Amino acid sequence: MSGVDPGVARAEDVWYRSYPFWDAYFALVLVGTVAATAADGLPPGRKAAAILLLVLLSLAYAALGRKALRSRGERHPGCRVYAAALVLMFVPATMLAPVTSTGLAALAPQVYMVYGTARGFVLMVVLFSGAIGSAMVASGAGVTLSLVMMLVAIACSGLLATFIGRLSAQNRERALLIDELDRTRDELAAVSREAGVLAERERLARDIHDTIAQGFTSIVMLVQAAEAEVGPNRHLDLVARTARENLAETRGLVAALAPPALAKGSLVEALRRLAADFALPVDMDVEGEQRPLGAAAEAVLLRVAQEALANVRKHAVARSVWMSLEFGAGEARLTVADDGRGFDPEAVASGFGLRGMRGRVEQAGGGLAVRSGPGEGAVVEAVLPCSA
């Protein structure tokens, strides 16, 4: 299927991809019906008229039936015209030459595919009327057998209608499911891209804070120490002023790269929003005098809270969660606890979530502690220095 969009190709149903085969099937059955009619022992005039009607029917299929078959819409103009052509050409042909009723083997599937189960069955009964009428006006012991065979054929046609209807419904459901899966895949790809961008922004902010910002801070402290030894100096004042200005620029850059949740307010407000949006009840406590911790430290604590709550949602089977942010002397402490089933911290210490949290906290100069046990819930505690 080169040149065809994979998403479109997967959403197509079985009938659409099999239309060329139905065209070939119709042509083979029609050719066989014409050959059987030509070999039948009927008067030449009746045979010629029946064959002519079959040829006209094939032209109607080429002009209207194929489009109607592919439209799969009963309101398509060609559908009604093609139904009229079937009745006006095939019924007289079967009345002139009953052997032409073998063409119903090709007409039955396409009738149900185009017109559905109910309308298709009615149309098939009409198409059978020519052969049934010919059998009724005929004489001989074979009349009853012919009528019985016709009725059996109509019943089989009804079974075929049910089968095609159910298969079409399954195809539509499958197409809807594939569309939904495609939308979900696109949404997940967008979320993954966004998560990657946010992670890269956070990494850049952390690297800038740990290198450039800390470097400018050290320069300011060294200049102050030098001034204490040598006294006021114009060049040292210029170095200190330049370092402070660049430190302010660097901190502004770190703040701009901070998580979006922190851009809407303080760390406490971001944690309260996170708790309010969580799937389980979260009791949020704030202890001590609130103060800014620095963009990098606040981003680390927010990420730890997000990861801890994500682990609770995925693994803890908890009923409630407690979260606390404590502003102490020289440090800030974030605690996330749940009443879930707990786990063995040693067994999951190498897990990506805990390893990522620990790495973030340690890079910011703090520490992470995890306390848990089977059936005892879990406590995640991150401590960062306030100067971070």
Side-chain angles (χ1 to χ4, degrees), residues 274-282 309 312-314 318-321:
L274 184 64
D277 295 336
F278 193 58
L280 297 174
V282 179
L309 290 178
V312 171
R313 184 181 64 251
K314 291 186 291 185
R319 291 173 297 178
S320 62
V321 184

Side-chain angles (χ1 to χ4, degrees), residues 98 101-102 104 128 131-132 135 141-157:
S101 59
T102 55
L104 289 169
F128 270 105
I132 294 175
V143 174
T144 302
L145 179 60
S146 299
L147 290 175
V148 171
M149 292 179 62
M150 294 295 177
L151 293 176
V152 171
I154 292 177
C156 293
S157 172

Side-chain angles (χ1 to χ4, degrees), residues 216 220 224 227 237 239-249:
F216 283 128
V220 173
Q224 291 174 347
E227 287 180 337
D237 289 341
V239 171
R241 185 169 62 252
T242 303
R244 289 190 181 96
E245 291 175 354
N246 284 274
L247 178 59
E249 292 283 346

Side-chain angles (χ1 to χ4, degrees), residues 284-358:
M284 174 71 188
D285 293 333
V286 179
E287 301 179 11
E289 183 181 354
Q290 299 184 30
R291 59 186 180 276
L293 303 176
E298 291 181 350
V300 169
L301 292 178
L302 179 62
R303 295 303 188 197
V304 169
Q306 291 173 333
E307 181 66 27
L309 290 178
N311 288 338
V312 171
R313 184 181 64 251
K314 291 186 291 185
H315 308 297
V317 193
R319 291 173 297 178
S320 62
V321 184
W322 175 70
M323 183 161 58
S324 171
L325 179 62
E326 178 183 353
F327 294 89
E331 67 178 21
R333 184 184 306 271
L334 173 70
T335 305
V336 180
D338 67 80
D339 60 355
R341 60 186 177 184
F343 59 92
D344 182 2
E346 297 296 331
V348 299
S350 60
F352 179 78
L354 289 178
R355 191 170 66 248
M357 283 192 292
R358 193 179 304 279

Side-chain angles (χ1 to χ4, degrees), residues 57-79:
L57 180 60
S58 66
L59 296 177
Y61 175 78
L64 301 172
R66 296 179 73 253
K67 294 181 180 179
L69 186 64
R70 284 157 175 77
S71 71
R72 299 296 303 278
E74 299 177 23
R75 296 182 179 180
H76 189 276
C79 294

Side-chain angles (χ1 to χ4, degrees), residues 19 22-24 26-27 30 53-71 76 78-79 81-83 85-86 89 106-107 110 114-115:
Y19 286 150
W22 288 111
D23 293 341
F26 176 80
L30 188 66
L53 289 171
L54 293 177
V55 172
L56 293 176
L57 180 60
S58 66
L59 296 177
Y61 175 78
L64 301 172
R66 296 179 73 253
K67 294 181 180 179
L69 186 64
R70 284 157 175 77
S71 71
H76 189 276
C79 294
V81 177
Y82 184 59
L86 288 177
M89 297 175 188
L107 295 180
Q110 64 175 252
V114 174
Y115 303 102

Side-chain angles (χ1 to χ4, degrees), residues 44-383:
R46 292 180 61 181
K47 286 196 299 185
I51 293 175
L52 176 61
L53 289 171
L54 293 177
V55 172
L56 293 176
L57 180 60
S58 66
L59 296 177
Y61 175 78
L64 301 172
R66 296 179 73 253
K67 294 181 180 179
L69 186 64
R70 284 157 175 77
S71 71
R72 299 296 303 278
E74 299 177 23
R75 296 182 179 180
H76 189 276
C79 294
R80 295 183 178 180
V81 177
Y82 184 59
L86 288 177
V87 174
L88 295 177
M89 297 175 188
F90 188 76
V91 173
T94 55
M95 295 182 67
L96 291 171
V99 70
T100 57
S101 59
T102 55
L104 289 169
L107 295 180
Q110 64 175 252
V111 164
Y112 290 122
M113 290 162 60
V114 174
Y115 303 102
T117 303
R119 291 186 176 89
F121 183 76
V122 172
L123 181 56
M124 286 302 301
V125 172
V126 175
L127 295 179
F128 270 105
S129 63
I132 294 175
S134 299
M136 292 180 65
V137 299
S139 58
V143 174
T144 302
L145 179 60
S146 299
L147 290 175
V148 171
M149 292 179 62
M150 294 295 177
L151 293 176
V152 171
I154 292 177
C156 293
S157 172
L159 295 176
L160 179 62
T162 302
F163 170 75
I164 293 178
R166 291 182 177 178
L167 184 58
S168 299
Q170 291 177 353
N171 290 332
R172 288 192 296 268
E173 292 175 359
R174 187 189 67 174
L176 292 175
L177 179 59
I178 291 176
D179 290 340
E180 183 177 353
L181 291 175
D182 288 338
R183 287 194 300 269
T184 303
R185 180 190 61 186
D186 295 339
E187 292 174 359
L188 289 176
V191 170
S192 298
R193 286 193 297 269
E194 182 180 357
V197 170
L198 293 177
E200 182 63 17
R201 285 164 58 111
E202 181 182 348
R203 186 191 66 80
L204 288 174
R206 185 171 59 248
D207 291 345
I208 292 173
H209 174 271
D210 294 343
T211 55
I212 301 176
Q214 296 289 6
F216 283 128
T217 301
S218 299
I219 292 173
V220 173
M221 295 175 63
L222 290 172
V223 170
Q224 291 174 347
E227 287 180 337
E229 291 185 4
V230 303
N233 183 283
R234 182 173 59 87
H235 296 292
L236 291 178
D237 289 341
L238 179 60
V239 171
R241 185 169 62 252
T242 303
R244 289 190 181 96
E245 291 175 354
N246 284 274
L247 178 59
E249 292 283 346
T250 302
R251 286 174 174 171
L253 180 59
V254 171
L257 293 173
L262 293 175
K264 300 178 182 179
S266 65
L267 173 61
V268 174
E269 294 172 348
L271 291 176
R272 291 191 186 278
R273 287 194 298 270
L274 184 64
D277 295 336
F278 193 58
L280 297 174
V282 179
D283 292 331
M284 174 71 188
D285 293 333
V286 179
E287 301 179 11
E289 183 181 354
Q290 299 184 30
R291 59 186 180 276
L293 303 176
E298 291 181 350
V300 169
L301 292 178
L302 179 62
R303 295 303 188 197
V304 169
Q306 291 173 333
E307 181 66 27
L309 290 178
N311 288 338
V312 171
R313 184 181 64 251
K314 291 186 291 185
H315 308 297
V317 193
R319 291 173 297 178
S320 62
V321 184
W322 175 70
M323 183 161 58
S324 171
L325 179 62
E326 178 183 353
F327 294 89
E331 67 178 21
R333 184 184 306 271
L334 173 70
T335 305
V336 180
D338 67 80
D339 60 355
R341 60 186 177 184
F343 59 92
D344 182 2
E346 297 296 331
V348 299
S350 60
F352 179 78
L354 289 178
R355 191 170 66 248
M357 283 192 292
R358 193 179 304 279
R360 284 192 180 98
V361 174
E362 291 178 350
Q363 286 179 4
L368 182 77
V370 179
R371 299 188 299 275
S372 182
E376 299 178 359
V379 178
V380 176
E381 186 177 78
V383 180

